[in-house]
């Protein structure tokens, strides 16, 4: 996900300049000892200094500026003469420009995520405005736009056509086709929108910072995990309670997610839960950090912007560059609602009964009524009492090196991929950290590298997990450049006694990021702007990653290939496996309905919003219709919904649900029952190796190989033979019975 966000932010900066590209010209230039300017199969990132970054970027931005000027002059001359511009005069030249400054910038961004330092931060502050400014000049070039418009696309390959269409659409959405007067208005709207989203986001941060609650009584922190209690005491100390200790308090509770989450889940004290819940629901809805007016204005301006670009509303503008169509999307919402709503009602009833049960009364005050601040707490208690497994114990069956081998076995089994460790000689100049591993992956004509940075290093590495497309495949006169993907995670450091042991969630994360990496390195596209993960529509880019998660969770062969105790090598006990599987669908109706609610609100607000309408009332109206537990009157969740008001997800939040649907549908192709001539019952396809191999080949030839070079709906139909349906997602979440007998029941 982190990776997706990086691409989105890069896209917002316009001109797609932050993507990974190198250029033919690069190889011809003298590297002059600057590792960022060297052309090697694996970028030599071991010894890059802040000065290297500065000088590389200055050189390359200047070179890109010159190249743009030359290209514009050539195109302008051709347009003036009335001669047709060819793809070769335009496409590859444009890629050269992107790569000139995009390649060192991407290496630098990568280093900032894995080996940050005050020096690098300083360089970023200095350089980012220049990179953004050049990106704007590039995307708003009138000459380039006119040349793209007059290009005869009928003679192009499908991939080249996608490059041109992507360029045109991106430029149109930045207002380049408007007349001078309109362009002025458009630019003012854009500028105001950018300012508003910054202010929105600052208000959320400031409002969150302003609220806190000091707990003086031990009973107020009862039930909280030790790490939360410790950090709350440390926060109290920092706030002036110099004697604060974890054991005796006082404890400062804040709305930081690392505190808010644990309080709602674990705090036995109901009034503490209530305080923090109410504050969080009403975040950024009071002066001086009130976002209410900003939400209205943002929606108004987006609507105006869409109109100027010729769209009926902002939703139509968003969908113009997505895989989903409006009709498919609204049908999906209705289908999911029909199933998730009754399931959530059942969950709700169950939770109410549980919260009043004698067992719960013994530990907690009896409840008259289950309130919003009680739900997470009792849901967690119910889950514990039902499945009873210790997450920490489970880790012992998932040592990181074995899980990684499991992924390689799966890639071999499904896609016939050969995996070889990169020789030490080659790796040592590339790795930025001694624990970084390198692998060379090959499948027929597709081949590339995956660098893995597995362990957490809080002082210099970002949190979370991501895949960074460090180098993208590209064919030039100099030959084929092979792609490089970085998989970065924050797993626990290994010790002399034990390897890094992963939680079940971390196992899924590794499969997820490898799904992105496989799409990046097994591509067969030769233009870097559409090879690997580049140029794939947002709502389709999480499909290949989520698809891989299913193998870790639902395919026994895969899971049991690595789930062995790190010490005794004993396989994961069967009953533990069963409980883990069952717990996967705990309250799945409720969580799906929650996702559906947020998705619906985002879509409604961006579909024909009219000045003067009250967004909060629209959101509450949808809640009344959809949710089992409508929000509090003082709740204003839109005021802190940064995804759509300060991030890139406006009229695009549905992408999360959409890619869940498509990836589940893709996995179900493997799982669907196969009728065998010798066995009367239908068996899950997962037990038929021949079937898996054939389908795996088709998946790799389509989803993994095509990248952004073909429309994603077409790519998917090539693989599946039809469009995706939500049935598989609902079945895998236990919300719809599987009609296939044995296939879906494990
Ligand atoms: Zn992802």
């Amino acid at each position: 996900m982190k990776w997706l966000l990086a691409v989105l932010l890069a896209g917002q900066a316009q001109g797609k300049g932050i993507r990974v590209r190198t250029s033919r010209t690069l190889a011809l230039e003298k590297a002059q000892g600057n590792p960022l300017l060297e052309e090697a199969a694996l970028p030599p990132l071991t010894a890059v200094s802040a000065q290297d970054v500065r000088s590389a970027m200055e050189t390359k931005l200047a070179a890109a500026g010159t190249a743009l000027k030359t290209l514009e002059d050539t195109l302008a001359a051709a347009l003036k003469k009335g001669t047709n511009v060819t793809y070769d005069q335009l496409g590859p030249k444009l890629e050269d420009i992107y790569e000139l400054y995009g390649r060192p910038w991407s290496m630098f961004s990568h280093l900032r995520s894995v080996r940050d330092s005050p020096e690098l931060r300083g360089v970023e502050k200095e350089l980012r405005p220049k990179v953004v400014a050049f990106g704007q000049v590039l995307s708003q070039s009138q000459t380039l736009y006119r040349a793209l418009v007059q290009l005869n696309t009928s003679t192009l390959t499908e991939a080249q056509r996608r490059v041109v269409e992507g360029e045109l659409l991106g430029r149109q959405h930045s207002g380049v086709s408007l007349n001078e007067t309109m362009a002025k208005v458009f630019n003012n709207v854009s500028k105001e929108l950018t300012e508003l989203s910054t202010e929105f986001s600052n208000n959320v941060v400031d409002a969150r910072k302003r609220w806190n609650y000091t707990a003086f009584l031990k009973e107020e922190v009862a039930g909280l995990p030790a790490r939360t209690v410790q950090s709350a005491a440390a926060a109290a100390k920092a706030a002036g309670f110099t004697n604060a200790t974890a054991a005796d308090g006082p404890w400062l509770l804040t709305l930081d997610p690392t505190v808010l989450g644990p309080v709602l889940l674990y705090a036995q004290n109901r009034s503490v839960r209530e305080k923090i819940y109410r504050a969080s629901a009403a975040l950024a809805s009071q002066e001086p950090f009130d976002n209410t007016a900003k939400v209205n204005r943002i929606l108004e301006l987006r609507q105006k912007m869409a109109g100027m670009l010729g769209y009926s509303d902002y939703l139509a503008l968003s969908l113009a560059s997505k895989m989903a169509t409006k009709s498919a999307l609204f049908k999906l919402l209705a289908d999911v609602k029909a199933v998730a709503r009754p399931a959530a009602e059942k969950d709700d009833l169950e939770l109410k009964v549980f919260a009043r049960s004698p067992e719960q009364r013994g530990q907690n005050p009896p409840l008259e009524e289950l309130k919003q601040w009680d739900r997470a707490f009792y849901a967690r208690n119910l889950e514990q009492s039902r499945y009873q497994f210790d997450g920490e114990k489970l880790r012992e069956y998932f040592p990181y090196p074995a899980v990684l081998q499991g992924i390689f076995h799966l890639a071999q089994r499904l896609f016939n991929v050969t995996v070889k460790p990169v020789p030490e000689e080659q790796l040592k100049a590339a790795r930025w950290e001694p624990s970084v591993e390198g692998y060379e992956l090959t499948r027929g004509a597709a081949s590339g590298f995956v660098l893995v940075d597995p362990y957490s290093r809080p002082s210099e590495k970002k949190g979370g997990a991501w895949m960074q497309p460090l180098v993208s495949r590209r064919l030039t006169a100099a030959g084929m450049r092979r792609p490089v993907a970085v998989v970065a995670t924050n797993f626990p450091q290994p010790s002399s006694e034990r390897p890094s042991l992963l939680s079940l969630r971390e196992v899924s994360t590794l499969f997820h990021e490898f799904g992105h990496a496989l799409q990046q390195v097994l591509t067969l596209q030769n233009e870097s702007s559409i090879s690997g993960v580049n140029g794939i529509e947002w709502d389709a880019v999480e499909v290949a990653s989520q698809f891989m998660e299913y193998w870790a969770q639902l395919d026994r062969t895969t899971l049991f290939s690595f789930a062995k105790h790190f010490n005794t090598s004993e396989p994961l006990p069967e009953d533990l496996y069963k409980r883990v599987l069952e717990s996967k669908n705990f309250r799945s109706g409720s969580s799906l309905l929650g996702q559906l609610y947020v998705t619906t609100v985002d879509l409604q607000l961006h579909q024909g919003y009219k000045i003067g309408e009250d967004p909060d009332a629209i959101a509450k109206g949808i809640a009344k219709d959809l949710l089992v537990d409508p929000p509090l009157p003082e709740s204003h969740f839109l005021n802190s919904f940064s995804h759509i008001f300060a991030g890139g997800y406006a009229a695009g939040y549905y992408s999360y649900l959409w890619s869940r649907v498509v990836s589940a549908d893709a996995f179900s192709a493997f799982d669907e029952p196969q009728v065998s001539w010798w066995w009367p019952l239908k068996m899950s396809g997962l037990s038929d190796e021949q079937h898996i191999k054939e389908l795996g080949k088709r998946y790799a030839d389509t989803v993994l190989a095509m990248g952004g070079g073909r429309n994603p709906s077409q790519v998917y139909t090539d693989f599946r033979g039809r469009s995706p349906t939500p049935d598989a997602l609902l079945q895998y979440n236990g919300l719809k019975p599987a009609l296939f007998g044995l296939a879906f029941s494990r």
Side-chain angles (χ1 to χ4, degrees), residues 120-162:
L120 289 186
R121 239 169 285 159
V123 172
E124 160 128 22
K125 223 173 153 188
E126 194 183 313
L127 290 175
R128 181 171 285 279
K130 295 182 190 173
V131 173
V132 171
F134 183 73
Q136 263 160 5
V137 171
L138 189 55
S139 72
Q140 283 171 4
S141 161
Q142 287 291 338
T143 314
L144 282 178
Y145 181 68
R146 277 188 291 135
L148 282 161
V149 169
Q150 65 81 58
L151 203 68
N152 177 4
T153 50
S154 66
T155 57
L156 303 186
T157 64
E158 184 183 16
Q160 289 170 340
R161 224 170 19 243
R162 284 271 297 176

Side-chain angles (χ1 to χ4, degrees), residues 371-402:
K371 296 282 196 183
Q372 276 88 346
W373 45 89
D374 299 320
R375 287 177 184 274
F377 176 78
Y378 284 101
R380 189 197 155 267
N381 281 0
L382 175 59
E383 185 180 18
Q384 280 296 103
S385 79
R386 187 171 292 173
Y387 305 108
Q388 301 187 340
F389 65 79
D390 176 357
E392 288 304 306
K393 197 94 198 118
L394 200 59
R395 280 180 186 268
E396 297 179 358
Y397 293 92
F398 302 130
Y400 158 72

Side-chain angles (χ1 to χ4, degrees), residues 1-4 512-513 516 541-542 545:
M1 241 352 168
K2 278 270 162 59
W3 165 80
L4 176 62
H512 179 106
E513 301 307 338
H516 286 309
V541 89
E542 292 296 325
S545 50

Side-chain angles (χ1 to χ4, degrees), residues 345-539:
E345 280 168 16
K346 206 169 139 247
D347 288 344
D348 190 55
L349 198 65
E350 214 174 58
L351 195 64
K352 283 177 177 154
V353 170
F354 175 78
R356 290 199 205 101
S357 66
E359 177 198 353
Q360 289 302 302
R361 276 168 186 263
Q363 294 171 14
N364 306 291
L367 287 181
E368 304 287 317
E369 194 190 343
L370 196 70
K371 296 282 196 183
Q372 276 88 346
W373 45 89
D374 299 320
R375 287 177 184 274
F377 176 78
Y378 284 101
R380 189 197 155 267
N381 281 0
L382 175 59
E383 185 180 18
Q384 280 296 103
S385 79
R386 187 171 292 173
Y387 305 108
Q388 301 187 340
F389 65 79
D390 176 357
E392 288 304 306
K393 197 94 198 118
L394 200 59
R395 280 180 186 268
E396 297 179 358
Y397 293 92
F398 302 130
Y400 158 72
V403 179
L404 185 66
Q405 287 310 312
I407 293 177
F408 291 155
H409 282 147
L410 178 64
Q412 216 271 325
R413 177 175 159 226
L414 285 183
F415 311 131
N416 204 17
V417 171
T418 317
V419 181
K420 278 196 311 198
V422 173
E424 176 58 26
E425 237 353 76
Q426 196 184 358
L427 187 60
K428 88 180 164 204
R431 67 178 160 219
W432 50 93
E433 213 301 308
S435 59
V436 168
E437 305 161 25
Y439 302 93
E440 186 182 1
L441 273 60
T442 308
R443 176 180 184 268
S447 172
F449 300 94
V450 180
L451 300 174
V452 192
D453 184 349
Y455 308 122
S456 127
R457 297 185 302 280
S459 63
E460 59 171 18
K461 187 176 172 182
K462 258 187 349 190
W466 65 94
M467 189 287 290
Q468 161 108 354
L470 199 60
V471 177
S472 295
R473 177 172 154 126
R474 189 185 185 200
L475 181 66
T476 63
M480 180 66 77
R481 185 184 63 202
R482 292 199 286 166
V484 182
V486 174
V487 167
T489 52
N490 272 283
F491 297 154
Q493 287 276 353
S495 69
S496 52
E497 290 94 55
R498 48 169 61 187
S500 177
L501 299 175
L502 309 191
S503 68
L504 198 59
R505 208 190 150 87
E506 287 167 337
V507 170
S508 277
T509 298
L510 192 61
F511 273 75
H512 179 106
E513 301 307 338
F514 254 91
H516 286 309
L518 290 174
Q519 196 166 37
Q520 174 65 10
V521 302
L522 298 182
T523 184
L524 285 173
Q525 297 292 355
N526 297 332
E527 277 91 1
S528 59
S529 57
I530 48 150
S531 77
V533 296
N534 293 337
I536 298 180
E537 280 73 354
W538 285 17
D539 51 352

Side-chain angles (χ1 to χ4, degrees), residues 596-597 600-602 604-605 617-627:
L596 187 67
Y597 169 59
T600 309
V601 169
D602 172 42
Q604 295 285 29
L605 289 181
I618 296 176
K620 288 203 167 98
I622 298 169
K624 212 173 152 200
D625 172 52
L626 263 186
L627 296 181

Side-chain angles (χ1 to χ4, degrees), residues 562-582:
F562 59 80
K564 297 190 177 78
H565 194 274
F566 80 98
N567 228 345
T568 61
S569 297
E570 150 221 1
L572 181 70
E574 198 63 35
D575 76 306
L576 190 53
Y577 171 63
K578 281 227 167 67
R579 274 180 285 146
V580 169
L581 265 191
E582 280 167 19

